[in-house]
Amino acid sequence: MDLPADEARPAPVFGEEARAAFARSYPEEPHVLAHGLGQNALLTLDALAALAARLPERSIEYNRGDLPIGVDGKPEGTGLAIEDTIRHIARSNSWAVLKNIEQAPEYADLLMALLDEIRPEIEARTGAMLRPQGFVFISSPDAVTPYHFDPEHNILLQLVGRKTMTQFPAGDDRYAPDTIHESYHAGGARELTWRDELLAGGREFAIGPGEAVYVPVMAPHFVRNGPDSSISLSITWRSEWSFAEADARGFNRLLRRIGLRPAPPGRWPAGNKGKALAYRALRRLGLAG
């Protein structure tokens, strides 16, 4: 017997309450929301080890898990292969990320199914959802993801284990100086200089299975894993707003070169279109290097 359409359709991962909370806070306010992703055959340790073997080397990053909050340069490795690191994450003292999992078709389907659930809320605020990407983090007990920022809008879904993300205000020069933003968008590293006095300005978000945390564009943060190993899925996207903010930073870098002290780009809903359009024009002329 055929089921009615509403019964045959799987329940959404982001329920009505989660989508409402997301809509109230997106794109600038970090927040925790519930998810119903649960166990998924694509996100077991064996499946992720197999995925790591399929991905290009540039899409895999892994190193020791017992890192400080702030790092200088590339952290030390463990000597293990990525497949062994993942399969034995509970005792390998490691932190690993599989980048751009959408390179594998089945993971692309998973990513887009999740993002399509919240596409209306995204596009009502920041317009078209651009450049969707997925990342999986596999972490040993007590592993640390050092202090950094990212250019995407990001929801981190916790699947296995627990972790605490400490976020800092996006766009605040105290936590990530404007010159560091400008350097990053010119190809520099995304790791930031950590000072212990910054901690007072952080906001902790503790999440476990069935919970997710939203991270605004370029919001500095670090993550500390709980006492058990962890699997997390990060679903990310860009917007015209995020690209304009990045290009305004590029324009500011050029202004700084000629001795000016430009004002930083505004946070949403400021559009930053003037500087962004100027930078894009210079880039087309080959003058924005």
Side-chain angles (χ1 to χ4, degrees):
M1 183 178 73
D2 291 337
L3 292 172
D6 59 343
E7 293 185 28
R9 188 182 304 119
V13 170
F14 297 110
E16 184 176 343
E17 185 175 333
R19 293 196 303 274
F22 176 71
R24 287 192 300 269
S25 302
Y26 179 75
E28 281 295 271
E29 181 64 27
H31 59 284
V32 171
L33 62 158
H35 73 80
L37 185 55
Q39 295 183 346
N40 186 296
L42 295 176
L43 298 168
T44 65
L45 291 178
D46 283 343
L48 293 171
L51 174 63
R54 295 164 58 193
L55 291 174
E57 186 176 348
R58 67 178 183 276
S59 297
I60 298 168
E61 180 181 351
Y62 63 112
N63 45 245
R64 296 182 63 87
D66 53 350
L67 296 174
I69 295 172
V71 296
D72 183 12
K74 183 173 176 56
E76 180 183 342
T78 62
L80 294 174
I82 182 61
E83 295 97 325
D84 290 336
T85 295
I86 292 172
R87 287 194 171 97
H88 305 294
I89 196 66
R91 58 180 185 276
S92 63
N93 181 29
S94 299
W95 171 89
V97 56
L98 307 183
K99 305 176 183 179
N100 299 112
I101 61 171
E102 68 278 0
Q103 295 172 92
E106 65 273 33
Y107 288 89
D109 290 344
L110 173 63
L111 171 66
M112 294 314 302
L114 293 170
L115 286 174
D116 281 344
E117 289 190 8
I118 53 174
R119 184 186 294 269
E121 289 78 14
I122 291 170
E123 297 191 340
R125 290 291 186 95
T126 55
M129 186 179 71
L130 306 174
R131 201 178 291 180
Q133 296 177 304
F135 305 81
V136 175
F137 297 89
I138 308 104
S139 309
S140 294
D142 303 312
V144 170
T145 305
Y147 188 53
H148 69 286
F149 54 17
D150 303 296
E152 305 92 359
H153 306 276
N154 174 16
I155 297 176
L156 180 73
L157 293 85
Q158 189 65 16
L159 306 173
V160 176
R162 303 190 65 85
K163 60 178 46 172
T164 299
M165 176 185 288
T166 303
Q167 287 195 45
F168 300 81
D172 189 321
D173 186 72
R174 292 173 295 176
Y175 304 103
D178 293 328
T179 52
I180 300 300
H181 280 267
E182 294 160 17
S183 172
Y184 168 72
H185 288 301
R190 67 185 62 195
E191 285 73 25
L192 302 171
T193 300
W194 175 254
R195 305 185 309 277
D196 287 342
E197 60 265 29
L198 297 178
L199 188 59
R203 183 179 174 190
E204 290 189 350
F205 296 90
I207 55 173
E211 296 176 308
V213 59
Y214 172 70
V215 189
V217 169
M218 303 305 276
H221 58 283
F222 67 87
V223 183
R224 193 181 301 277
N225 210 38
D228 300 309
S229 53
S230 165
I231 302 174
S232 309
L233 170 64
S234 183
I235 59 174
T236 77
W237 63 97
R238 298 292 299 268
S239 63
E240 171 54 28
W241 180 86
S242 76
F243 283 118
E245 192 268 353
D247 287 339
R249 294 284 188 184
F251 190 71
N252 279 358
R253 180 171 55 89
L254 300 181
L255 295 179
R256 210 178 294 278
R257 280 184 182 175
I258 60 174
L260 300 178
R261 298 180 62 184
R267 296 297 300 182
W268 190 88
N272 302 305
K273 289 186 177 179
K275 287 182 176 180
L277 291 173
Y279 184 72
R280 292 168 188 175
L282 292 170
R283 191 164 54 199
R284 284 193 297 271
L285 295 170
L287 300 175

